[in-house]
Amino acid sequence: MDRRRVCVLMVLWVMAHLSSPGHGLRALRRTTGGHKGATGMTGQDANGLPLRRSKRGWMWNQFFLLEEYTGTDMQYVGKLHSDSDRGDGNTRYVLTGEGAGSLFKIDEKSGDIHATKRLDREEKAYYILHAKAVNRFTNEALEGESEFVIKIHDINDNEPRFTKDPYMARVPEMSDIGTSVIQVTAADADDATYGNSARVVYSILEGQPYFSVDPETGLIKTALPGMDREVKENYQVVIQAKDMAGQMGGLSGTTTVSITLSDVNDNPPRFTKTVYEFRVPESSDVGSAVGVIRAMDNDIGENAEMEYRIIGSDGPGMFDVTTNRSTQEGVILLRKPLDFERKRQYSLRIQVENSHLNPRFFSVGPFRDEATIKIVVEDVDEPPLFERASYVMEVKEDGARNTAIGSVSASDPDDKNSLVRYSIDRRTDMDRMFNVHAGNGSVFILRELDREESAWHNISVIATEFNNPRQISRVPVYIRVLDVNDNAPTFATNYETFVCENAKANQRIQTVSATDPDDPLGGHRFFFSLAQEAAGKANFSVRDNKDNTAWILTRRNSYNSLQKSIYHVPVVISDGVFPMQSSTNTLTVRVCSCDREGNMKLCNAEALTARAGLSTGALVAILLCVIILLMIVVLFAALRRQRKKEPLIISKEDVRDNVVSYNDEGGGEEDTQAFDIGTLRNPEAIEDNKQRRDIVPETFFPPVRRPVLPPIRDNNGDVRDFINQRLQDNDSDPTAPPYDSLATYAYEGTGSVAESLSSLESVTTEGDQDYNYLSEWGPRFKKLADMYGGDDSDRDS
């Protein structure tokens, strides 16, 4: 009912407003000329022609319409009228533009405009339309097209809406009254330029008396002093926004503001106890934690960060305290070893203080606290303790066995003062070079030492309690082997020296130096000289340069490589350290042909071989190896060839029972390679060069000549004899494979008694034929029987 009453009041106000002179009516005057009824000159156009005013009717150029119309009839907007309309029905009004025909309809006869639907100003505040009057019958324009506006008047139909819901805000705790928290904003979709429909007023519904809100701006402020986060941290504030300037009948909207009190450092840290006590074994490692303490602080975050420090101790430097940043705990650390026998209890004063102080709250009190820490040292059975952390001993390399080179000493630090037993960790003395006396810790030599082999020996000595062998301690012992002059100097390298055949006397051919593995304190001093036994007949001389080098010089003008191609020069090298050591080193000098500048051109073959690094014996050995390899290759090839020529059956014992299946049915009559049928048809015509297909065609034995079987008239006997003959041949053939094979012979008979008369059928020799049957053919063949039918013995004689 309140909303409908407001609408009625708004309609009455608009009608009264429109009836005032000059508000809603505005004459549209045409100044384009060319219309009948000119009344006079009003000016000139751009071309200098006079402008004429046309007489015409007037119309409204702006209409007003209330939004959200709820009546049953269409809402009347206004009326269009033209002076050309004489009321005879010949004038038709036409409406175009935004919403014409759908939202707005015009009575084409009277010009009345009505709204067909409810309109919402928040969707569209005004519409621009065009109207004109035309002749109903000819559609000729009676008036030019005119533009007018339909403006939607606003009513209060939208409640205020906040831009967020909920709002999140933070304000420091203990803030003063009036501290700004957050500003909320509500928007009203109604027309802010018309009436109070969009004028919003803010008020607080929940959250008092802690907070307040400015009714005009929506700014929320603190309303109480001393709000403590540690007492209450979160607040829920409900803010209302109401339009119509907060008057009765206005629309309203609400939002929630979640306000959190942020922490400030307004609480000092406090220890939970005034005295802490910790018990620590004396065997604790340096750097280990002795105990942990913690002070409580009601603040959070960086306001709860604190620092611990020692402000007093009866054991200076024994302990330290650090802060664990993740837990804000104080960790007491051991900085020096503990000794129960020396001091059994310590007392510390620990102070804790906030890291970030707020000067605003200094008046609350000191932001620090103190506590006493008692540390009790517990006794443990400790291993023996050496007097030193390490030992360094020296011994000459010529020291005799069982010579003592030093001693170590360890004692039991406990009150019981147990005896100590010493030993050497053999993992550090694998060669068993040293030993230690188990009772007094004396270290002595077990084997001869050589400084040139190892100048330092690092061993570990173990000390063990007699009463508790598990209590062990170790100490490193570094043994330095001192040098003794026990090595003679030698040539520094293997010199390759040559002398030219055209050399001159006192010509230098080589500079030699020496090396000595010994290490004298003053450095090396070597002396060079020619061996005494070669001094009388020497071809070369040695000059000592006094700088640990020497020159090898010639003693005559020329040398002949044909007479002697190699000379051996014995050089004696001695050192200058007591006891003096010396050695004789032989320098090999080759005689070579050289050019005028002294560059070597050619040396003897033996010398060149020596220069290349291969002796005659080495060359001979290489040649013998090559010959042996060649003989092995030839022997291996011969064995392989002999193996290929061996018969398939070497002995009667080498028999392998194998079954070979021949399941090939052949290729029919056109298959001429599978089987030779001619052998069965003519058993007398056997080719000597036919070979078995199932073995390698190697000829180890001469072909066997088989006697010709006499013709048998009995068919069965003929076949039987033929088969038996073939079996006998296969059994006696040494070239046949040692397999159990199945051979099939299909014999069709011998044919005519005369057999074939062609000489091409026979592959046998004349001596193999039997012509005795010619004598049975009668007197006509007697001559042939005499020529061929006789015995061999007769023919031979």
Side-chain angles (χ1 to χ4, degrees):
M1 289 297 293
D2 294 338
R3 186 164 183 171
R4 192 172 295 176
R5 186 180 304 162
V6 170
C7 292
V8 173
L9 294 175
M10 288 297 296
V11 171
L12 295 176
W13 182 85
V14 171
M15 296 301 293
H17 188 65
L18 290 176
S19 63
S20 60
H23 177 75
L25 302 177
R26 185 172 302 171
L28 295 179
R29 303 189 180 274
R30 184 183 302 234
T31 58
T32 58
H35 195 68
K36 63 179 181 178
T39 58
M41 301 295 292
T42 60
Q44 294 180 348
D45 59 8
N47 298 324
L49 298 177
L51 297 177
R52 299 180 181 273
R53 180 178 298 166
S54 300
K55 181 180 180 181
R56 57 160 295 176
W58 53 266
M59 64 175 70
W60 292 353
N61 70 337
Q62 184 167 324
F63 298 98
F64 294 91
L65 185 65
L66 285 177
E67 67 171 335
E68 302 295 343
Y69 173 71
T70 58
T72 57
D73 298 332
M74 290 189 299
Q75 188 178 4
Y76 179 73
V77 178
K79 183 181 182 64
L80 295 178
H81 182 72
S82 174
D83 290 344
S84 300
D85 187 2
R86 306 199 180 271
D88 53 4
N90 293 332
T91 302
R92 181 169 65 89
Y93 295 95
V94 179
L95 185 65
T96 60
E98 297 176 335
S102 58
L103 296 179
F104 305 102
K105 288 188 177 181
I106 187 172
D107 189 336
E108 60 181 15
K109 294 181 179 181
S110 63
D112 293 332
I113 302 175
H114 291 82
T116 62
K117 298 179 180 179
R118 294 174 57 184
L119 301 179
D120 190 356
R121 189 202 64 84
E122 285 70 39
E123 293 183 2
K124 191 171 181 62
Y126 61 91
Y127 297 85
I128 301 176
L129 294 96
H130 299 83
K132 62 181 179 178
V134 298
N135 189 289
R136 179 179 299 275
F137 303 103
T138 64
N139 283 333
E140 181 182 357
L142 303 178
E143 293 283 349
E145 186 177 80
S146 298
E147 182 181 274
F148 64 96
V149 177
I150 299 178
K151 187 175 183 182
I152 310 302
H153 266 303
D154 181 53
I155 63 173
N156 189 20
D157 59 344
N158 292 278
E159 71 277 4
R161 295 182 181 273
F162 285 93
T163 57
K164 293 181 182 179
D165 189 17
Y167 286 85
M168 308 297 294
R170 297 178 66 88
V171 64
E173 63 173 333
M174 311 300 291
S175 296
D176 296 332
I177 297 176
T179 302
S180 298
V181 180
I182 191 174
Q183 185 176 15
V184 297
T185 303
D188 196 321
D190 293 328
D191 191 358
T193 62
Y194 179 74
N196 294 325
S197 298
R199 185 181 177 187
V200 179
V201 174
Y202 301 95
S203 62
I204 184 168
L205 299 182
E206 295 181 13
Q208 295 175 335
Y210 305 103
F211 300 95
S212 63
V213 63
D214 189 300
E216 299 293 335
T217 62
L219 180 62
I220 300 175
K221 302 178 181 179
T222 57
L224 282 180
M227 286 191 294
D228 194 353
R229 185 199 64 84
E230 289 73 32
V231 177
K232 186 176 182 180
E233 183 176 4
N234 297 312
Y235 296 85
Q236 298 292 327
V237 180
V238 178
I239 303 296
Q240 182 190 65
K242 191 174 183 181
D243 59 12
M244 296 298 292
Q247 297 177 6
M248 185 179 297
L251 304 178
S252 64
T254 60
T255 187
T256 301
V257 183
S258 180
I259 301 176
T260 301
L261 297 182
S262 59
D263 184 63
V264 296
N265 191 10
D266 58 341
N267 293 279
R270 291 290 181 262
F271 284 110
T272 57
K273 295 188 296 184
T274 58
V275 178
Y276 294 84
E277 182 174 331
F278 301 102
R279 305 184 72 84
V280 184
E282 64 173 334
S283 60
S284 298
D285 297 330
V286 174
S288 61
V290 174
V292 176
I293 58 176
R294 183 176 182 180
M296 303 303 297
D297 193 331
N298 292 329
D299 296 324
I300 60 175
E302 68 174 13
N303 296 319
E305 294 180 1
M306 55 191 76
E307 295 285 346
Y308 297 87
R309 63 174 177 270
I310 298 176
I311 59 175
S313 173
D314 57 356
M318 289 293 299
F319 303 94
D320 194 7
V321 61
T322 60
T323 303
N324 187 334
R325 292 303 176 187
S326 60
T327 61
Q328 298 302 318
E329 295 175 335
V331 182
I332 302 174
L333 302 176
L334 181 63
R335 290 306 182 194
K336 293 182 180 179
L338 297 174
D339 191 352
F340 175 81
E341 290 71 28
R342 295 177 57 187
K343 189 173 179 62
R344 303 185 179 185
Q345 183 173 323
Y346 295 88
S347 178
L348 307 175
R349 292 289 296 170
I350 303 294
Q351 183 185 79
V352 62
E353 185 178 12
N354 281 135
S355 302
H356 306 280
L357 300 179
N358 193 338
R360 178 184 171 193
F361 300 101
F362 281 169
S363 59
V364 178
F367 283 78
R368 65 178 65 92
D369 196 11
E370 296 180 2
T372 301
I373 310 297
K374 291 185 178 180
I375 299 176
V376 178
V377 181
E378 296 180 342
D379 185 28
V380 296
D381 189 5
E382 300 175 89
L385 181 64
F386 283 95
E387 293 181 355
R388 301 180 189 175
S390 62
Y391 291 84
V392 179
M393 302 178 183
E394 294 183 348
V395 58
K396 289 187 177 182
E397 61 178 327
D398 60 349
R401 297 181 180 179
N402 297 323
T403 300
I405 60 176
S407 64
V408 298
S409 177
S411 60
D412 185 8
D414 299 325
D415 292 339
K416 56 186 178 181
N417 196 14
S418 176
L419 294 178
V420 177
R421 180 178 179 276
Y422 301 95
S423 63
I424 289 181
D425 186 356
R426 289 304 173 187
R427 292 176 298 181
T428 62
D429 186 23
M430 302 293 291
D431 298 331
R432 303 184 68 86
M433 304 288 294
F434 306 94
N435 204 355
V436 62
H437 192 279
N440 58 23
S442 298
V443 180
F444 54 90
I445 305 172
L446 284 181
R447 295 174 55 185
E448 294 180 356
L449 303 177
D450 187 357
R451 189 204 65 85
E452 287 71 34
E453 181 180 348
S454 180
W456 284 89
H457 296 272
N458 303 327
I459 64 175
S460 292
V461 177
I462 301 174
T464 307
E465 291 184 8
F466 271 96
N467 298 333
N468 188 1
R470 293 179 297 178
Q471 294 296 332
I472 298 175
S473 60
R474 303 170 184 267
V475 66
V477 178
Y478 307 105
I479 301 174
R480 180 184 180 185
V481 182
L482 301 178
D483 183 52
V484 174
N485 190 26
D486 56 350
N487 292 278
T490 59
F491 276 148
T493 184
N494 186 19
Y495 295 103
E496 295 181 359
T497 307
F498 72 93
V499 62
C500 295
E501 291 180 326
N502 56 356
K504 303 297 182 181
N506 291 325
Q507 181 178 343
R508 182 180 63 179
I509 62 173
Q510 183 69 57
T511 301
V512 297
S513 60
T515 182
D516 191 340
D518 293 326
D519 187 16
L521 295 178
H524 289 290
R525 177 67 181 92
F526 300 119
F527 302 92
F528 300 86
S529 62
L530 190 65
Q532 188 67 30
E533 62 272 14
K537 52 181 180 178
N539 294 285
F540 301 92
S541 63
V542 177
R543 178 184 297 177
D544 194 342
N545 296 324
K546 308 301 182 180
D547 59 354
N548 293 338
T549 64
W551 288 353
I552 307 299
L553 305 176
T554 59
R555 297 189 62 176
R556 52 196 181 95
N557 288 328
S558 63
Y559 297 85
N560 192 339
S561 60
L562 297 178
Q563 295 178 358
K564 189 171 184 180
S565 61
I566 296 178
Y567 291 89
H568 297 286
V569 181
V571 180
V572 177
I573 309 175
S574 59
D575 54 25
V577 182
F578 181 83
M580 181 177 294
Q581 301 287 340
S582 63
S583 65
T584 300
N585 300 263
T586 301
L587 179 67
T588 301
V589 181
R590 295 179 289 112
V591 180
C592 303
S593 61
C594 304
D595 55 15
R596 294 182 178 181
E597 286 75 16
N599 298 320
M600 182 179 63
K601 292 170 39 178
L602 180 65
C603 285
N604 59 314
E606 182 179 357
L608 289 176
T609 304
R611 181 179 180 87
L614 293 176
S615 63
T616 305
L619 293 175
V620 171
I622 293 174
L623 183 60
L624 288 176
C625 291
V626 172
I627 293 174
I628 292 172
L629 288 175
L630 290 176
M631 292 177 64
I632 291 174
V633 172
V634 172
L635 181 61
F636 181 78
L639 289 176
R640 291 197 62 179
R641 189 174 224 176
Q642 183 68 23
R643 188 179 305 163
K644 287 184 178 180
K645 293 183 179 181
E646 290 180 356
L648 294 176
I649 297 180
I650 304 302
S651 64
K652 294 182 180 181
E653 290 77 16
D654 188 11
V655 177
R656 291 166 291 176
D657 293 336
N658 296 287
V659 177
V660 179
S661 299
Y662 298 92
N663 55 1
D664 187 7
E665 298 181 359
E669 295 180 354
E670 296 179 0
D671 187 4
T672 60
Q673 299 297 329
F675 189 75
D676 189 4
I677 197 66
T679 302
L680 293 178
R681 293 179 177 176
N682 298 299
E684 295 80 9
I686 300 175
E687 295 179 8
D688 293 339
N689 58 351
K690 287 288 184 179
Q691 302 294 331
R692 291 174 61 102
R693 292 185 174 91
D694 56 347
I695 63 173
V696 180
E698 293 284 349
T699 303
F700 297 101
F701 299 93
V704 179
R705 298 185 179 273
R706 301 176 177 84
V708 179
L709 295 177
I712 301 176
R713 291 174 176 80
D714 185 10
N715 293 333
N716 294 332
D718 186 16
V719 174
R720 182 169 57 256
D721 294 339
F722 171 77
I723 296 300
N724 291 333
Q725 182 65 36
R726 291 295 180 266
L727 290 176
Q728 183 179 0
D729 293 344
N730 288 330
D731 293 338
S732 61
D733 187 4
T735 63
Y739 309 128
D740 293 338
S741 304
L742 177 62
T744 302
Y745 302 97
Y747 179 58
E748 299 179 357
T750 58
S752 173
V753 177
E755 299 178 349
S756 176
L757 297 179
S758 174
S759 62
L760 298 176
E761 291 288 340
S762 177
V763 295
T764 59
T765 61
E766 183 180 356
D768 294 335
Q769 299 291 338
D770 186 6
Y771 298 99
N772 293 328
Y773 59 89
L774 295 176
S775 60
E776 300 176 1
W777 286 5
R780 294 183 179 181
F781 298 92
K782 186 175 183 308
K783 186 65 174 174
L784 292 175
D786 294 336
M787 295 175 62
Y788 297 96
D791 294 334
D792 295 338
S793 60
D794 298 336
R795 288 197 297 270
D796 294 336
S797 61

